Amino acid sequence: MVVTTAMKFSNTRILGIIGIIGAPWMFIDFINNGFYEHFQVSAASGVRNFLFMTGWICSLLGLYKLRALGDKIWQKMIFILQMLFLLLAEVWSVMEMTKAGRTSRFFFTLNYSWHVAGFLMILTGTQILRKNQLKGWKRFVPLLAGFWFPGTLCIYFFTGNSVAMVLLSGVYSMIVFSLLGFTVATQDNVASLPPQRSHNVH
């Protein structure tokens, strides 16, 4: 039991660390490629997007291992949908990296998968906040991550593809997804474990 628990803690920390490593890459890609009409499809951009999505996925897996989303079927369905669209976004990034099917309708459609994943993060963050498995300020971090993509669209609506948009959205994503990984890596895992039965000695 002790060994299994230690391995679970270690795996969760590794997932969180990967989340932290992946967090800055969307900002880096914004600096290089801009946003929307200024965005340039390239192998380098695909790598950066892949790294960012991988960090996001690992952070979510860590939150799932910590039971932050809950154990009910509908709560797990939110997690499954979130992961599904993030994995589709990873496929898009791989296609961008390898130049495979860049002009296909499939590639164009997959581009919207990470948009959907961005909005689903609001549901995920809201559920984690309601579950209250994470303690202190950490329980707000997933929801703050959920505000990133809708917030980016709002900034873009008012400022267009401006330096302000790139900086505000990029810096926000870097900070909030770093905090998401940090939350997973440093969360008190003991709170996520079922209570052990006490054995009375007669």
Side-chain angles (χ1 to χ4, degrees), residues 5-70:
T5 301
M7 289 178 63
K8 177 180 178 180
F9 293 174
S10 177
N11 291 339
T12 304
R13 291 194 180 98
I14 291 172
L15 289 170
I17 291 171
I18 295 174
I20 295 172
I21 293 172
W25 290 100
M26 184 60 69
F27 180 38
I28 294 171
D29 194 57
F30 280 0
I31 293 174
N32 283 269
N33 284 330
F35 200 68
Y36 281 142
E37 68 268 18
H38 291 177
F39 178 78
Q40 298 294 321
V41 176
S42 67
S45 177
V47 171
R48 291 188 287 264
N49 289 321
F50 183 85
L51 290 172
F52 177 77
M53 291 296 175
T54 299
W56 190 348
I57 288 172
C58 286
S59 291
L60 280 178
L61 287 173
L63 290 171
Y64 182 80
K65 288 172 69 68
L66 291 168
R67 299 180 183 174
L69 288 88

Side-chain angles (χ1 to χ4, degrees), residues 1-2 14-15 36 40 48 80 84 93 95 102-103 111 113 120 125 132 148 153-154 156 193 197 199:
M1 176 65 181
V2 174
I14 291 172
L15 289 170
Y36 281 142
Q40 298 294 321
R48 291 188 287 264
I80 291 172
L84 173 63
S93 297
M95 292 178 69
R102 283 185 184 177
T103 59
N111 185 36
S113 57
L120 283 175
N132 202 28
W148 166 63
L153 292 181
C154 289
Y156 178 79
L193 295 175
R197 296 179 181 178
H199 299 279

Side-chain angles (χ1 to χ4, degrees), residues 84-99:
L84 173 63
F85 282 100
L86 284 174
L87 289 173
L88 288 174
E90 287 279 60
V91 173
W92 182 86
S93 297
V94 170
M95 292 178 69
E96 187 183 12
M97 275 190 288
T98 59
K99 302 181 180 180

Side-chain angles (χ1 to χ4, degrees), residues 42-153:
S42 67
S45 177
V47 171
R48 291 188 287 264
N49 289 321
F50 183 85
L51 290 172
F52 177 77
M53 291 296 175
T54 299
W56 190 348
I57 288 172
C58 286
S59 291
L60 280 178
L61 287 173
L63 290 171
Y64 182 80
K65 288 172 69 68
L66 291 168
R67 299 180 183 174
L69 288 88
D71 297 319
K72 296 180 180 178
I73 293 178
W74 66 270
Q75 294 167 336
K76 291 181 179 180
M77 285 302 299
I78 293 175
F79 170 77
I80 291 172
L81 281 174
Q82 178 84 72
M83 291 296 294
L84 173 63
F85 282 100
L86 284 174
L87 289 173
L88 288 174
E90 287 279 60
V91 173
W92 182 86
S93 297
V94 170
M95 292 178 69
E96 187 183 12
M97 275 190 288
T98 59
K99 302 181 180 180
R102 283 185 184 177
T103 59
S104 67
R105 186 180 297 273
F106 181 64
F107 179 76
F108 177 79
T109 303
L110 277 182
N111 185 36
Y112 291 96
S113 57
W114 70 273
H115 298 65
V116 178
F119 282 108
L120 283 175
M121 193 65 192
I122 295 179
L123 293 179
T124 300
T126 300
Q127 175 53 33
I128 291 173
L129 184 61
R130 291 180 58 194
K131 178 67 177 176
N132 202 28
Q133 183 73 15
L134 304 179
K135 302 305 178 184
W137 59 269
K138 293 179 181 179
R139 69 182 186 272
F140 296 99
V141 172
L143 185 57
L144 291 175
F147 290 151
W148 166 63
F149 185 71
T152 296
L153 292 181

